[in-house]
Amino acid sequence: MLDKNGIAKRIAKEVQDGYYVNLGIGIPTLVANFVRDDIEVEFQSENGVLGMGPFPFEGEEDADIINAGKQTITTLAGASFFDSATSFSMIRGQHVDLTILGAMEVAENGDIANWKIPGKMVKGMGGAMDLVASAENIIVAMMHTNKRGESKLLTACSLPLTGVGCVKKIVTNLAVMDVKDGAFHLLERAPGVTVEEIVAATAGTLIAEGEIPEMKL
Amino acid sequence: MLDKNGIAKRIAKEVQDGYYVNLGIGIPTLVANFVRDDIEVEFQSENGVLGMGPFPFEGEEDADIINAGKQTITTLAGASFFDSATSFSMIRGQHVDLTILGAMEVAENGDIANWKIPGKMVKGMGGAMDLVASAENIIVAMMHTNKRGESKLLTACSLPLTGVGCVKKIVTNLAVMDVKDGAFHLLERAPGVTVEEIVAATAGTLIAEGEIPEMKL
Amino acid sequence: MINKKVNNVQDALQGVESNMTFMLGGFGLCGIPENAISELVRLGVNNVTCISNNAGVDDFGLGLLLQHKQIKKMISSYVGENDEFERQMLSGELEVELTPQGTLAEKCKAAQAGFPAFYTPAGYGTEIAEGKETRDFNGKMYVLEHAYKADFAFVKAWKGDEAGNLVFKGTARNFNPCMCGAATITVAEVEELVSVGELDPNHIHVPGIFVQRIFRGEQYEKRIEQKTVRQRG
Amino acid sequence: MINKKVNNVQDALQGVESNMTFMLGGFGLCGIPENAISELVRLGVNNVTCISNNAGVDDFGLGLLLQHKQIKKMISSYVGENDEFERQMLSGELEVELTPQGTLAEKCKAAQAGFPAFYTPAGYGTEIAEGKETRDFNGKMYVLEHAYKADFAFVKAWKGDEAGNLVFKGTARNFNPCMCGAATITVAEVEELVSVGELDPNHIHVPGIFVQRIFRGEQYEKRIEQKTVRQRG
């Protein structure tokens, strides 16, 4: 079973040379730490920066330079700042190659819910609705089950949707899955996790054909 | 009767303190020469400059700094350069206070034609269609009649339109007129020109009520 | 040069009244018009609608207006990080309209640019699209979203000149340029107000035509919401 | 940093073929991609559609492609200043689609920004609106215009870096930024190609994400169309 860093590490393998990548808040943010350093990648943050670098050293943080999670950041050579409309032109115009974000629920048809629990929590969708409606390549990073042990991979989402039929791949603490043809397709098991455990933790249709390899990190 | 500079001089009196002004090619360009220097005005050119100044001195022209008429220009302190989309945001968003442009024909309902003579000449509308469709304050600068002596102030335009019901004021070599309620309303006569001469040169409905003063330049 | 300079925040906010709609720049607490917000608190205008990506934190940014119950309605994309907000929303004291972030930016931009409405894919198939026109273009579905209308836009830039030209620093730019010219009156506050001619005309982020009033803000706290650092190797 | 640098105009135009649609930046002869145009002439591709505000003059700019009869269709807002153009248009050799200048800019911008279409007041009630959807918003009429699609966009900037970031000078900016990222492949040519880190990240007009290839143009004539000067007092 993977921890959050493990999920981030596995997702980092999906990041290819020449990719512009948007990382959501939470586990996705950790992905930047694990991307191979022999490939060229640029990170975009929807509040208006391309070419994000690591967090600043203590005392070097600048209130005017943050990411979408409101964290202080640095920029790398070749970076640029721009306004919010331009930022979403990059996203809506499909210039960002890969979007990695968290979710509360994903359905077997690719629907995703991650912004609202009616009556309980409404933080808002931020840029997530724009991202999932536009991105051609979306990976969801999340725990396979919620805090109550219930599957987050469902036949249909029960929470208000963020986007419809948009999720292509999911990496959880238990597995890597493609989402296509109305089902979750098991590709890899997390270290030490059996196919049976994944099946048991998945409420939606899960297809596991042939030998399912353990993921390499 | 006015010459081109006279028309420009009369129109310059319509330019008020604090106005952003877009000047079309031809007579309108001359208006800049006659604006009072005790008021604050900024000239916008739709190819991407705000704060245009006079033409450069010989040897100081810069191929990268031109106006919409492709003429070399200079800029004043406080000027800015921007792209074409931003430029038309200023125009479409009604941030430009006054638009002065030429015309081949104007109709008594405010229609204007100035971009095409079917079978003869098609230079294109350039930014004129955007300007006339958006501007709240449009003054047409033109000769009262064409080269064949025919009136350019008509009941209805015969040439393909540039915009509908948009012209508010016309200054010609003969007169100043408001365009409202489906008619040309005579406001001022050019020096030495009689009301009768203006009536004779106007094909559309011309209303001349009371004493029509001679214009002051 | 058309001079947009006013002497202080009081002059800059002349005409502000209760029941108005305001746009406020900033992302989180980054690039917010701190001085205009303080003055709105001091003026005590209430029943106002605020269009702003976020709602500040409990004791800073728009959180100050929430604290004083001056806001009738918030239009934002993300409103976490604010307990008082959550309390007012759940109790029904505060009306909230959540809008996808890119849509929010573009609804301001549309108002600035004279576009009445636009089609965006964001929110299609979600409750955000309920009651809105949707349409297929080239096999993909889009939602029709309308331009915002506001009485005042309050933005914050790094530098500005008397002609109203603005320059931003880092990610403090965010929504600020999109809101300039999107309201009847745009008020820009800057850290440094320079004379015309000092800013490079090639590097002006917002031309002065989109700004009606400009002033130098008295002080900026520029609070950091999530200070995150790494250890020195 | 994702490196977009290619060594020369030949590498930059790899994949260019006859029958394609191109966008070309520039206003008149100001800010046109001179080197890309020369290479298009050399490659001899024909039957192409060109989206560009103007069509150059008889012996320079896009006029060169017209001279060699490589253009099937021009999409522009203004095509005066070119006799060969007029001859080909009147004889029916050349297809011409005239589009209001602001609409042309925005059709490029829409392609860049992922908007399928937009409503603009320009051209309402004229032959430009014939056959197009029109619509009333708040008592004013608008025309629905669709985003352009192009195979290549050729733009010219003043400076650029290896990451594809672009900076423009004066009014040579014009349509160039609107076209970046509006085609499958955007090729930027620059007068000066600098290393990453040399351009101020606050003052980049076009972020590199909108550019696929960048090269330093061998030479620029930068011809002036209407040299206009005043006398020294």
Side-chain angles (χ1 to χ4, degrees):
Chain A
M1 199 183 299
L2 302 175
D3 60 5
K4 289 181 176 182
N5 275 309
I7 295 172
K9 204 167 172 183
R10 175 59 191 82
I11 289 176
K13 292 178 67 178
E14 303 289 320
V15 178
Q16 293 178 25
D17 190 30
Y19 267 16
Y20 291 97
V21 183
N22 181 290
L23 301 177
I25 299 169
I27 302 174
T29 303
L30 303 172
V31 172
N33 301 332
F34 300 107
V35 173
R36 283 161 46 193
D37 51 14
D38 62 336
I39 62 174
E40 290 178 342
V41 173
E42 286 186 36
F43 293 104
Q44 194 253 19
S45 197
E46 62 264 31
N47 58 316
V49 54
L50 189 67
M52 267 191 293
F55 296 127
F57 290 118
E58 175 77 40
E60 294 181 359
E61 65 277 5
D62 182 337
D64 289 331
I65 302 180
I66 65 168
N67 65 15
K70 283 95 175 178
Q71 296 171 308
T72 44
I73 55 157
T74 62
T75 55
L76 302 173
S80 55
F81 297 110
F82 35 85
D83 66 46
S84 299
T86 304
S87 185
F88 282 92
S89 291
M90 296 176 186
I91 290 165
R92 204 185 307 99
Q94 305 189 324
H95 305 288
V96 172
D97 300 290
L98 176 61
T99 292
I100 303 168
L101 78 174
M104 296 172 185
E105 296 179 348
V106 178
E108 61 192 35
N109 67 349
D111 287 0
I112 176 173
N114 73 351
W115 71 286
K116 184 179 184 180
I117 304 175
K120 270 194 177 170
M121 184 284 289
V122 192
K123 293 201 183 299
M125 68 294 285
M129 281 195 182
D130 304 89
L131 282 159
V132 302
S134 305
E136 292 186 300
N137 196 358
I138 299 173
I139 301 178
V140 164
M142 65 176 188
M143 292 294 152
H144 211 99
T145 54
N146 65 21
K147 283 171 188 168
R148 294 182 304 282
E150 298 159 347
S151 180
K152 294 169 74 173
L153 292 91
L154 308 172
T155 306
C157 291
S158 66
L159 296 171
L161 296 184
T162 307
V164 293
C166 52
V167 177
K168 300 283 185 295
K169 188 168 256 181
I170 307 171
V171 178
T172 72
N173 53 329
L174 303 184
V176 179
M177 288 148 293
D178 269 351
V179 187
K180 60 177 183 184
D181 308 328
F184 303 109
H185 294 256
L186 187 58
L187 299 179
E188 299 173 20
R189 297 172 291 113
V193 175
T194 66
V195 171
E196 290 67 33
E197 286 169 316
I198 298 166
V199 169
T202 307
T205 309
L206 181 75
I207 295 177
E209 286 177 332
E211 189 67 26
I212 306 298
E214 189 171 289
M215 62 179 80
K216 294 186 183 71
L217 291 169
Chain B
M1 196 186 298
L2 302 176
D3 61 4
K4 289 182 177 181
N5 276 308
I7 295 174
K9 206 167 171 182
R10 175 59 190 83
I11 290 178
K13 292 177 66 178
E14 303 289 322
V15 178
Q16 294 178 26
D17 191 30
Y19 266 18
Y20 291 98
V21 182
N22 181 290
L23 301 177
I25 300 169
I27 302 174
T29 302
L30 302 172
V31 172
N33 300 332
F34 301 106
V35 173
R36 283 161 47 194
D37 51 14
D38 61 336
I39 62 173
E40 291 178 341
V41 172
E42 287 187 35
F43 293 104
Q44 194 252 19
S45 196
E46 63 263 31
N47 60 315
V49 55
L50 190 67
M52 268 190 293
F55 295 127
F57 290 118
E58 175 78 40
E60 293 181 0
E61 65 276 7
D62 182 338
D64 289 332
I65 302 181
I66 65 169
N67 66 15
K70 282 95 175 179
Q71 296 171 308
T72 44
I73 56 157
T74 61
T75 55
L76 302 174
S80 55
F81 297 110
F82 35 85
D83 65 46
S84 299
T86 303
S87 185
F88 282 91
S89 291
M90 295 177 187
I91 291 166
R92 205 186 306 101
Q94 304 188 324
H95 306 287
V96 173
D97 299 291
L98 175 62
T99 292
I100 303 169
L101 78 174
M104 297 171 183
E105 296 179 347
V106 178
E108 60 192 35
N109 67 351
D111 288 359
I112 177 173
N114 73 351
W115 71 285
K116 185 180 183 180
I117 304 174
K120 270 195 177 168
M121 185 285 289
V122 192
K123 293 201 182 300
M125 68 293 287
M129 282 195 181
D130 305 271
L131 282 158
V132 302
S134 305
E136 292 185 299
N137 196 358
I138 299 173
I139 300 179
V140 164
M142 65 176 189
M143 292 295 153
H144 212 100
T145 53
N146 64 22
K147 285 172 187 165
R148 294 181 303 282
E150 300 158 346
S151 180
K152 295 170 74 173
L153 292 90
L154 308 172
T155 307
C157 291
S158 66
L159 296 172
L161 295 183
T162 307
V164 294
C166 51
V167 176
K168 300 282 185 296
K169 187 166 258 182
I170 306 172
V171 178
T172 73
N173 51 329
L174 303 184
V176 180
M177 290 147 291
D178 269 352
V179 188
K180 60 177 182 184
D181 308 329
F184 302 110
H185 295 255
L186 187 58
L187 300 179
E188 299 172 20
R189 297 171 292 113
V193 175
T194 65
V195 171
E196 291 66 33
E197 286 170 316
I198 297 165
V199 169
T202 306
T205 308
L206 181 75
I207 295 176
E209 287 177 332
E211 189 68 25
I212 306 297
E214 188 172 290
M215 62 178 80
K216 295 186 182 71
L217 290 169
Chain C
M1 188 266 301
I2 301 171
N3 199 326
K4 307 294 177 70
K5 185 183 168 187
V6 293
N7 286 323
N8 51 46
V9 69
Q10 286 78 29
D11 288 357
L13 266 68
Q14 274 214 327
V16 164
E17 290 173 15
S18 292
N19 306 306
M20 280 186 164
T21 297
F22 304 141
M23 287 179 180
L24 298 106
F27 185 97
L29 301 179
C30 182
I32 59 173
E34 295 187 22
N35 291 271
I37 292 171
S38 299
E39 180 65 7
L40 287 172
V41 171
R42 200 190 64 81
L43 287 170
V45 290
N46 53 44
N47 221 28
V48 300
T49 297
C50 290
I51 301 168
S52 182
N53 189 56
N54 311 90
V57 295
D58 278 334
D59 62 343
F60 201 58
L62 279 178
L64 296 171
L65 270 78
L66 285 165
Q67 223 179 56
H68 294 83
K69 302 197 170 55
Q70 296 175 267
I71 303 179
K72 177 185 66 172
K73 181 178 180 180
M74 275 299 311
I75 300 178
S76 304
S77 87
Y78 191 82
V79 291
E81 301 131 2
N82 193 320
D83 293 337
E84 175 62 15
F85 186 97
E86 204 160 6
R87 195 196 61 70
Q88 290 189 24
M89 181 174 56
L90 293 174
S91 73
E93 287 167 64
L94 182 69
E95 204 181 322
V96 179
E97 181 178 316
L98 290 167
T99 304
Q101 194 175 139
T103 300
L104 194 143
E106 204 63 29
K107 281 164 83 90
C108 296
K109 203 94 203 308
Q112 173 194 77
F115 291 116
F118 57 92
Y119 291 99
T120 178
Y124 175 73
T126 76
E127 63 180 53
I128 294 304
E130 280 170 22
K132 292 176 184 164
E133 175 183 325
T134 58
R135 183 160 172 173
D136 183 314
F137 288 100
N138 311 312
K140 181 166 174 158
M141 294 302 295
Y142 295 82
V143 183
L144 184 70
E145 296 279 2
H146 293 261
Y148 283 132
K149 277 186 169 53
D151 299 295
F152 277 84
F154 300 110
V155 303
K156 190 261 168 182
W158 179 41
K159 289 186 182 180
D161 67 17
E162 295 157 10
N165 294 309
L166 304 180
V167 173
F168 299 87
K169 181 180 148 235
T171 55
R173 194 180 321 180
N174 57 64
F175 284 83
N176 286 295
C178 310
M179 290 174 172
C180 291
T184 307
I185 294 176
T186 296
V187 175
E189 58 180 82
V190 297
E191 293 181 54
E192 211 178 311
L193 186 55
V194 304
S195 301
V196 285
E198 284 192 44
L199 300 177
D200 181 344
N202 288 297
H203 291 301
I204 284 165
H205 295 130
V206 174
I209 192 171
F210 294 118
V211 174
Q212 277 66 51
R213 302 174 191 168
I214 189 168
F215 71 100
R216 191 182 63 78
E218 287 276 309
Q219 56 170 18
Y220 288 97
E221 181 178 334
K222 300 219 277 185
R223 197 188 289 187
I224 291 175
E225 217 164 328
Q226 303 282 343
K227 181 175 150 177
T228 324
V229 296
R230 71 186 140 135
Q231 297 312 311
R232 282 174 201 276
Chain D
M1 189 267 302
I2 301 172
N3 199 326
K4 307 293 176 71
K5 185 183 168 187
V6 293
N7 287 323
N8 51 46
V9 68
Q10 287 78 29
D11 288 356
L13 267 68
Q14 274 215 328
V16 163
E17 290 173 17
S18 292
N19 306 306
M20 280 185 163
T21 297
F22 304 142
M23 287 178 180
L24 298 105
F27 186 97
L29 301 179
C30 183
I32 59 173
E34 295 187 23
N35 292 270
I37 291 171
S38 300
E39 179 65 9
L40 287 172
V41 172
R42 200 190 65 80
L43 287 171
V45 290
N46 55 43
N47 221 29
V48 300
T49 297
C50 290
I51 301 168
S52 182
N53 189 57
N54 311 90
V57 295
D58 278 336
D59 63 343
F60 201 58
L62 278 178
L64 297 170
L65 269 78
L66 285 166
Q67 225 179 56
H68 293 85
K69 302 196 169 57
Q70 295 176 267
I71 302 179
K72 177 185 68 174
K73 180 178 180 180
M74 274 300 309
I75 300 178
S76 304
S77 88
Y78 191 82
V79 292
E81 301 130 2
N82 193 318
D83 293 337
E84 175 63 14
F85 186 98
E86 203 159 8
R87 196 196 62 70
Q88 289 189 24
M89 181 172 56
L90 293 175
S91 72
E93 287 167 64
L94 182 67
E95 202 180 325
V96 178
E97 182 178 316
L98 290 167
T99 304
Q101 194 176 138
T103 301
L104 195 143
E106 203 63 28
K107 281 165 81 89
C108 297
K109 204 91 204 308
Q112 173 194 77
F115 291 116
F118 58 92
Y119 290 100
T120 179
Y124 175 73
T126 77
E127 64 180 53
I128 294 305
E130 280 170 21
K132 292 176 185 166
E133 175 182 326
T134 58
R135 183 162 172 171
D136 183 314
F137 287 99
N138 311 312
K140 182 166 176 160
M141 293 302 296
Y142 295 82
V143 183
L144 184 70
E145 295 281 1
H146 293 260
Y148 283 134
K149 277 186 167 54
D151 299 295
F152 277 84
F154 300 110
V155 304
K156 189 261 170 184
W158 180 41
K159 289 186 182 180
D161 68 16
E162 295 157 10
N165 293 309
L166 304 180
V167 173
F168 300 87
K169 181 179 149 238
T171 56
R173 197 182 317 182
N174 57 63
F175 284 83
N176 287 296
C178 310
M179 290 175 172
C180 292
T184 308
I185 294 176
T186 296
V187 176
E189 58 180 82
V190 296
E191 292 181 56
E192 212 179 309
L193 186 55
V194 304
S195 302
V196 286
E198 284 191 44
L199 300 176
D200 181 343
N202 287 298
H203 291 301
I204 285 165
H205 294 130
V206 174
I209 192 172
F210 293 118
V211 173
Q212 277 66 51
R213 302 173 191 168
I214 189 168
F215 71 100
R216 191 182 64 78
E218 287 276 309
Q219 55 171 18
Y220 288 98
E221 182 178 334
K222 301 220 277 186
R223 198 188 288 187
I224 292 175
E225 217 164 328
Q226 302 283 343
K227 182 174 150 177
T228 324
V229 296
R230 70 186 142 137
Q231 298 310 309
R232 278 172 204 277

